[in-house]
Amino acid sequence: MEEIEEISIAEEKVVDISLKDLAKKLEEFAKARDWEKYHSPRNLLLAMVGEVGELSEIFQWKGEVDKGLPNWEESDKEHLAEELSDVLLYLIRLSDICGIDLGDAATKKIVKNAIKYPPKAC
């Protein structure tokens, strides 16, 4: 009975999770496996670049695709979601290891871009 409960909890869809919460989960994951010694900024960056390559392969030779990927098989969308997640998780771990608050940095960047690229006048 407990096993069934654990599985259902693991399969629950997490809708709102912060970057900080993800960073904490990644830190705990690495600690539990004694992987922290491998998580240098350089190693994480290179791993992320590898994942970006895998993400790129999904789109290679497809030409332009429509928003929402309406002509894609569900299995292809799931593969895409996995590769996007790999890139995101490495980015979050890299920023955490470097002591960068990614949420704060991204928010500031959006504000800077809004000033640099004002909306078009109608």
Side-chain angles (χ1 to χ4, degrees), residues 27 34 42 56 72 78-79 91 98 107 119:
E27 179 182 9
D34 196 28
R42 177 189 173 275
S56 299
W72 285 36
E78 288 173 14
H79 183 210
L91 179 62
C98 292
T107 301

Side-chain angles (χ1 to χ4, degrees), residues 16-31:
D16 273 332
I17 186 163
S18 71
L19 293 175
K20 288 182 182 180
D21 289 340
L22 286 172
K24 184 167 177 44
K25 287 180 182 292
L26 290 169
E27 179 182 9
E28 291 168 357
F29 186 89
K31 276 184 184 177

Side-chain angles (χ1 to χ4, degrees), residues 32-43:
R33 289 154 182 82
D34 196 28
W35 287 354
E36 292 178 299
K37 59 189 166 208
Y38 305 113
H39 285 194
S40 67
R42 177 189 173 275
N43 286 349

